[in-house]
Amino acid sequence: MAQIIKVQKGTKDILPQDMAVWHKMEAAALEIFTRAGYKEIRTPIFEATELFQRGVGDTTDIVNKEMYTFEKSERSLTLRPENTAGVVRSYIENGMHRLSAPVKLWYKGPMFRYERPQAGRQRQFHQVGVEMFGIEDPSADAEAILLALNYLKKLGLPNLSVELNTLGCANCRKEFRALLIETLRPHYDKLCDDCKERFEKNPLRLLDCKVESCKEIFALPEVQQVIQSDYTCPDCSLHFERLKNYLDNLGVNYTVNKLLVRGLDYYNRTVFEIKSENLGSQNAVCGGGRYDTLVSNLGGESTPAIGWAMGMERLAALLPQSEEEKLDVYVVSDNKLEAIKLTERLRALNYNVDFDMAGKKFSKQLEKAAKSAHFAIILGEYEINGEYLTLKNLDTSTQTQFPLVNLSDFETHTYKFISTNSSEWLQSKLSMLASGFVM
Ligand code: ATP
Ligand code: MG
């Protein structure tokens, strides 16, 4: 036999039995973001490498170590490690700055980072995220954070903690950077290799290093004094105060974490993360912030912006395993032609229906029906001759009969038949019926 080819390290199949949770995350995204005026955007999975070098920043781990870059026709291309840069490129290229602000966009899809695979960390993973362009006022920051929380609430994950910080702007950061470098320099030799490498280029990034010996250095009183100091300029400071004020008034719980700096270079002012205690060490489900200079850095008109992204695998790990999605009806019959005809009629009435094509015995077909559907319709010889159906509720194993001609009344028949202990499936079908979606 030919050798089996396996899935690549750090990548995973999302199998049919896992899909219920993914459909839930995707449906909730469409619903919650649409309700807040966001429009979906789908940008390509590969872009010019330069987009990420200039967009994400070439002092970041993402650009330095984690990109999947390849050459094609003498062009350097990269599989997107995140999607803000791609969305900004599209915003500029499609002249979206001419639309009335704010321009609100959301996306979902795979991202690629060459990282060490571990629980909650893959090389191909999925993000759902939003970007809002054109509003400088901190009400936009508050709305973005609320939107993330509303999405998590919709998924039934309401109690996650929000951490917030401000990075100030390039101006106020300059002084802080210098002070930080000066304070940390005596401890340089004890820093980890990553921190040493970032020391001059991006000293703020040192602060969220997870290496214990580095954390000990940052806990020293003289270092803490610098970290905890308020270095932001009056404008940035006011922005942060106003954001906190919005959140307080909106009843959003958060903690200010001065060590939160985020791994991407483009952030300024507001940065935030949403974390779950139930995820072990990869505990961040959402990361975001303001990026007021990115649009102009990538060649567009200067446009304030804010956005966030959530890791969908990490969300999926927090959600209860949903039961595999079942068919509405499985048609059990020895007569394939009649089975196809009935299946077609029911599908045309918007039911999810399948039937046996493998020529299985009646009893085996019933077993298959019990595993894969809420109802079986039995179409035996008697039924075909008598032009009626036997409808079997596979959750309760009760059955009833009704004439084939009244197939469009399937819902009513089904309802009468199990109105006493109607399943979750039927409840939802009936509420759709009541609201006029299904005739
Ligand atoms: P982390 O600190 O966990 O590496 P990050 O700061 O690199 O996260 P972002 O680039 O802000 O993450 O991405 C936002 C979210 O995407 C993260 O909060 C996380 O949920 C998810 N995420 C990031 N990298 C991965 C990965 N390699 N595998 C799975 N999910 C990821
Ligand atoms: Mg990372």
Side-chain angles (χ1 to χ4, degrees):
M1 259 204 285
Q3 205 182 357
I4 295 170
I5 297 167
K6 295 213 170 135
V7 75
Q8 290 301 294
K9 194 174 162 192
T11 70
K12 273 189 187 152
D13 296 314
I14 303 171
L15 295 166
Q17 59 266 32
D18 310 321
M19 263 315 162
V21 164
W22 285 81
H23 286 163
K24 195 172 162 185
M25 291 189 285
E26 290 165 4
L30 180 62
E31 181 185 331
I32 297 296
F33 305 154
T34 304
R35 195 167 291 153
Y38 284 76
K39 302 263 166 68
E40 187 175 359
I41 183 166
R42 297 188 190 185
T43 58
I45 278 170
F46 64 84
E47 300 267 4
T49 302
E50 194 192 346
L51 176 69
F52 303 112
Q53 286 165 338
R54 272 167 57 191
V56 180
D58 42 22
T59 65
T60 60
D61 279 356
I62 293 182
V63 170
N64 272 330
K65 302 182 187 161
E66 298 174 359
M67 294 212 295
Y68 281 90
T69 297
F70 55 99
E71 296 274 325
K72 211 78 196 163
S73 308
E74 293 174 25
R75 289 219 176 91
S76 179
L77 304 170
T78 293
L79 299 183
R80 63 183 187 194
E82 58 92 68
N83 208 29
T84 300
V87 172
V88 170
R89 179 204 46 69
S90 178
Y91 174 89
I92 298 167
E93 201 171 343
N94 292 293
M96 288 189 229
H97 63 278
R98 287 193 294 270
L99 303 172
S100 92
V103 174
K104 294 169 151 187
L105 303 170
W106 77 272
Y107 61 82
K108 63 174 179 341
M111 308 296 155
F112 306 84
R113 296 184 195 175
Y114 188 69
E115 303 200 67
R116 190 169 66 79
Q118 52 195 293
R121 197 172 287 291
Q122 293 176 198
R123 290 179 172 172
Q124 174 173 344
F125 61 100
H126 295 75
Q127 285 184 336
V128 58
V130 305
E131 316 291 353
M132 187 198 316
F133 297 93
I135 306 292
E136 199 182 351
D137 190 81
S139 56
D141 312 38
E143 205 237 21
I145 294 171
L146 264 186
L147 186 70
L149 293 174
N150 285 339
Y151 176 61
L152 293 166
K153 193 162 145 200
K154 177 75 193 178
L155 291 176
L157 302 169
N159 299 318
L160 306 182
S161 57
V162 179
E163 291 189 4
L164 196 62
N165 193 17
T166 179
L167 300 177
C169 56
N171 278 342
C172 40
R173 237 171 9 216
K174 219 186 283 168
E175 237 172 83
F176 179 70
R177 276 176 64 133
L179 189 61
L180 196 61
I181 290 179
E182 193 186 309
T183 317
L184 288 173
R185 197 176 301 280
H187 309 284
Y188 181 87
D189 290 340
K190 283 176 263 147
L191 291 170
C192 73
D193 289 346
D194 275 346
C195 283
K196 279 183 182 145
E197 204 187 304
R198 292 180 187 139
F199 194 76
E200 298 283 349
K201 284 192 278 187
N202 194 352
L204 259 72
R205 276 290 281 144
L206 267 59
L207 301 183
D208 72 359
C209 176
K210 306 289 183 302
V211 176
E212 276 309 316
S213 50
C214 294
K215 283 204 224 167
E216 279 168 26
I217 297 170
F218 307 140
L220 294 169
E222 68 270 26
V223 183
Q224 272 298 310
Q225 206 186 352
V226 175
I227 293 171
Q228 299 300 336
S229 68
D230 193 2
Y231 65 86
T232 47
C233 65
D235 280 353
C236 289
S237 192
L238 181 65
H239 186 95
F240 197 47
E241 287 310 311
R242 289 186 59 214
L243 169 59
K244 287 190 289 182
N245 199 18
Y246 273 120
L247 295 177
D248 293 340
N249 278 299
L250 290 162
V252 174
N253 286 322
Y254 59 87
T255 48
V256 174
N257 175 3
K258 292 269 196 176
L259 296 177
L260 183 68
V261 291
R262 314 269 311 113
L264 302 91
D265 276 358
Y266 50 61
Y267 289 117
N268 68 300
R269 292 194 169 169
T270 313
V271 286
F272 62 93
E273 260 178 15
I274 303 178
K275 291 183 174 166
S276 161
E277 307 225 310
N278 300 337
L279 279 177
S281 51
Q282 316 309 326
N283 61 359
V285 286
C286 176
R290 187 165 267 287
Y291 51 92
D292 295 332
T293 55
L294 184 58
V295 179
S296 57
N297 285 350
L298 290 175
E301 277 177 28
S302 173
T303 309
I306 182 156
W308 53 254
M310 291 194 196
M312 295 179 82
E313 280 78 4
R314 291 191 199 174
L315 284 180
L318 290 174
L319 292 171
Q321 273 290 323
S322 294
E323 240 179 74
E324 202 173 323
E325 287 154 344
K326 281 189 169 179
L327 293 166
D328 297 331
V329 179
Y330 193 87
V331 176
V332 173
S333 181
D334 283 337
N335 186 326
K336 286 205 186 70
L337 179 62
E338 289 303 322
I340 296 179
K341 278 197 213 158
L342 178 62
T343 299
E344 283 296 302
R345 285 177 71 189
L346 284 167
R347 284 180 185 165
L349 291 167
N350 296 336
Y351 296 104
N352 302 335
V353 188
D354 208 355
F355 70 101
D356 175 67
M357 274 183 274
K360 286 199 188 92
K361 279 198 214 131
F362 232 76
S363 60
K364 290 280 173 209
Q365 286 190 37
L366 268 170
E367 275 173 31
K368 164 92 182 176
K371 272 197 216 124
S372 58
H374 293 281
F375 289 90
I377 288 183
I378 298 161
L379 204 56
E381 218 174 304
Y382 289 122
E383 279 94 349
I384 293 167
N385 291 336
E387 302 228 323
Y388 68 92
L389 298 175
T390 300
L391 175 68
K392 185 170 169 143
N393 180 344
L394 296 163
D395 300 331
T396 59
S397 292
T398 45
Q399 61 183 49
T400 186
Q401 268 128 12
F402 66 88
L404 245 177
V405 279
N406 286 354
L407 198 58
S408 56
D409 288 346
F410 176 70
E411 198 84 61
T412 325
H413 284 284
T414 322
Y415 183 45
K416 271 194 211 140
F417 164 48
I418 42 150
S419 53
T420 44
N421 56 0
S422 55
S423 63
E424 207 181 296
W425 169 82
L426 192 66
Q427 292 282 9
S428 68
K429 284 272 167 184
L430 288 170
S431 61
M432 282 204 285
L433 186 71
S435 60
F437 279 127
V438 179
M439 52 139 291

